Amino acid sequence: MANVHELNYLKEKIQDLKDQGVYRKLPILEGANEAEVILNGKKVINLSSNNYLGFANHPRLKKAAVDAVEKYGVGAGAVRTIVGNMDLHEELEEVLAEFKREEAVMTFQSGFNCNAGTIQAITEKGDLIISDELNHASIIDGARLSKANKTIYKHNDMDSLEKVLKDNRDNYRNILIITDGVFSMDGDIANLPEIVNLAEKYEAMTYVDDAHGSGVLGENGRGTVDHFGLHGRVDFSIGTLSKAIGVIGGYVAGSKTMQEWLSHRGRPLLFSTSLPPAAVGAIIEAVKMLMESSEYTDKLWANAKYFKEKLGKLGFNTGNSQTPITPVIIGDEAKTMEFSRKLFENGVFVSGIVFPTVPKGTGRVRCMVTAGHTQEQLDRAVKAFEKVGKEMNILK
Ligand SMILES: *Cc1c(COP(=O)(O)O)cnc(C)c1O
């Protein structure tokens, strides 16, 4: 008999990954997440981060982080319900509530954690969760932790959503409709006005995960709810502090009742140590910077428009994105991965995304343009796309 400590059952699964050609090593970044980085020892233009506003290595955020470390130390020392709730955490929630134009905010240690903790806390047996079929993995996992029944509707398809609501309304007490605000693979925006109308018609609650909308859409990056002017009509407005905000963390913005309840039943809050002071200090600074000026979001959108137009003119298929997320759709899975590999050789890092993350035959490289890119860097990236596109007969 083999030794149990050899973990042979996992070795077999790893071999399966290798046989399927999907085994990979984690890429290694030397230094900060910037527009141009050294990745696996090679200098490349970075078109794959979620660092939309270039805040991850911003001097003002770094200074705020250092100041917070000096005053509060490096760790919060406990969960928030015991002695890990610093005045800094309270300040963060006040600043975020003001920014989001909502009554109250409850923060978590990450966006993932926020979904995992919140969905199970606000639903129970006898309720129904209705989820867009393309919702993020953390929503799926969060819903799995809930005792409510779950069902999906077709991606952003309002007829499909209405049918699910009509068929199920009378069988459940509370219904919660969950959608991403911005969908991360295609960059399309949820039809939130119609989702909210349907929710009100069928007396359901709404939950919007705005991980890719926060810091991007709406006035100075206030998010998808603000973009559509739907304040007060979305019950749970989730944001991440790890993407555009550049640090780490997640939050729910909404009513005081929401916040009161989650402070008693949000399990990550009760059983996991609160955000470290450096992160909290930096986030507060980031939110203040957004409230002061639209400089960062303006630059993001200008860069994204510039890059998208250049790629489109060359003849690439950039899909139906309505946001800075710019997919370049190649189709075939192997060809997509080769395209990404060749771009890397030519000094551009943009990760290939293929089945099962996106449907078969819709493989793409997903370009994440940020406010931190210079026009010169974008021009160089476009040149590399053109060269590799021609070499591979993707462009005529
Ligand atoms: C990235 C993402 C998350 C996770 O956020 P983290 O703060 O990185 O944990 C949650 N939901 C959606 C829709 C996301 O895109």
Side-chain angles (χ1 to χ4, degrees):
M1 265 248 316
N3 182 342
V4 290
H5 300 307
E6 283 176 14
L7 305 182
N8 282 328
Y9 73 108
L10 294 182
K11 283 183 183 151
E12 280 165 25
K13 287 179 201 285
I14 291 167
Q15 188 55 49
D16 284 348
L17 296 179
K18 289 180 176 166
D19 293 345
Q20 291 160 26
V22 294
Y23 179 85
R24 48 133 187 77
K25 290 219 159 73
L26 300 177
I28 298 172
L29 182 64
E30 292 168 41
N33 198 317
E34 282 281 355
E36 213 159 344
V37 293
I38 299 186
L39 191 70
N40 291 340
K42 187 175 164 62
K43 189 166 184 211
V44 286
I45 296 168
N46 176 10
L47 282 179
S48 285
S49 85
N50 296 316
N51 183 21
Y52 284 108
L53 302 174
F55 280 4
N57 191 37
H58 195 286
R60 275 183 67 178
L61 273 74
K62 291 206 282 195
K63 164 119 191 357
V66 170
D67 290 349
V69 168
E70 294 295 348
K71 181 166 180 197
Y72 294 92
V74 293
V79 299
R80 289 185 75 186
T81 47
I82 301 191
V83 66
N85 183 41
M86 294 165 160
D87 51 7
L88 202 62
H89 293 102
E90 296 281 321
E91 183 187 342
L92 171 61
E93 287 172 348
E94 274 164 33
V95 170
L96 274 173
E98 184 193 342
F99 176 61
K100 295 293 287 187
R101 299 185 168 131
E102 299 287 345
E103 250 177 49
V105 159
M106 178 56 76
T107 51
F108 289 87
Q109 299 89 339
S110 75
F112 195 106
N113 214 321
C114 177
N115 282 327
T118 302
I119 298 170
Q120 61 166 315
I122 59 172
T123 55
E124 60 192 351
K125 194 163 187 284
D127 295 342
L128 178 67
I129 294 170
I130 308 179
S131 188
D132 185 293
E133 64 180 339
L134 293 189
N135 277 346
H136 189 258
S138 58
I139 293 176
I140 297 169
D141 286 12
R144 280 184 185 144
L145 292 170
S146 162
K147 294 196 175 69
N149 281 10
K150 298 115 203 170
T151 186
I152 56 171
Y153 61 97
K154 287 200 192 112
H155 174 52
N156 223 357
D157 180 331
M158 295 303 109
D159 293 334
S160 171
L161 174 59
E162 178 150 27
K163 181 166 188 324
V164 173
L165 283 164
K166 199 180 268 171
D167 291 350
N168 290 284
R169 186 62 196 101
D170 293 341
N171 305 328
Y172 293 94
R173 198 185 50 155
N174 289 325
I175 291 189
L176 180 67
I177 303 169
I178 307 186
T179 182
D180 280 14
V182 173
F183 290 87
S184 58
M185 293 305 146
D186 291 289
D188 52 330
I189 305 174
N191 186 351
L192 215 49
E194 194 49 33
I195 292 173
V196 166
N197 283 339
L198 286 172
E200 286 170 359
K201 179 171 169 192
Y202 290 92
E203 293 183 49
M205 300 179 294
T206 43
Y207 183 111
V208 177
D209 180 352
D210 222 7
H212 285 278
S214 348
V216 176
L217 278 174
E219 190 192 352
N220 297 18
R222 282 175 167 81
T224 311
V225 173
D226 189 77
H227 170 75
F228 287 118
L230 293 170
H231 292 289
R233 296 176 69 195
V234 170
D235 303 283
F236 305 94
S237 185
I238 280 66
T240 172
L241 303 165
S242 333
K243 290 181 173 136
I245 301 298
V247 193
I248 187 83
Y251 61 87
V252 194
S255 63
K256 285 213 170 73
T257 308
M258 168 282 293
Q259 189 208 36
E260 250 181 298
W261 177 244
L262 290 180
S263 76
H264 288 88
R265 287 292 182 275
R267 289 170 72 84
L269 189 107
L270 271 64
F271 299 108
S272 185
T273 300
S274 48
L275 283 166
V280 181
I283 299 162
I284 291 171
E285 187 68 12
V287 178
K288 285 183 179 165
M289 283 160 67
L290 284 179
M291 287 197 283
E292 276 166 22
S293 149
S294 65
E295 170 192 347
Y296 307 98
T297 46
D298 289 348
K299 183 82 192 299
L300 166 67
W301 282 89
N303 274 351
K305 181 167 179 275
Y306 181 79
F307 188 70
K308 229 182 246 181
E309 278 175 8
K310 291 249 159 165
L311 289 183
K313 266 194 199 128
L314 285 174
F316 284 108
N317 173 6
T318 58
N320 312 314
S321 171
Q322 299 164 277
T323 62
I325 295 172
T326 306
V328 173
I329 297 165
I330 306 297
D332 180 72
E333 281 72 28
K335 201 169 180 184
T336 303
M337 296 318 286
E338 193 191 342
F339 187 58
S340 165
R341 200 171 42 73
K342 287 205 161 144
L343 282 170
F344 188 79
E345 285 166 11
N346 284 276
V348 177
F349 178 60
V350 52
S351 53
I353 297 176
V354 297
F355 181 80
T357 307
V358 293
K360 267 212 169 91
T362 70
R364 79 264 328 256
V365 295
R366 187 184 55 160
C367 307
M368 306 293 276
V369 177
T370 73
H373 287 95
T374 63
Q375 204 178 94
E376 185 274 330
Q377 287 167 330
L378 295 177
D379 287 340
R380 248 191 298 142
V382 169
K383 277 228 170 71
F385 268 84
E386 184 176 16
K387 175 167 178 273
V388 177
K390 281 181 177 155
E391 274 170 21
M392 290 183 63
N393 286 321
I394 293 162
L395 294 180
K396 301 292 165 272

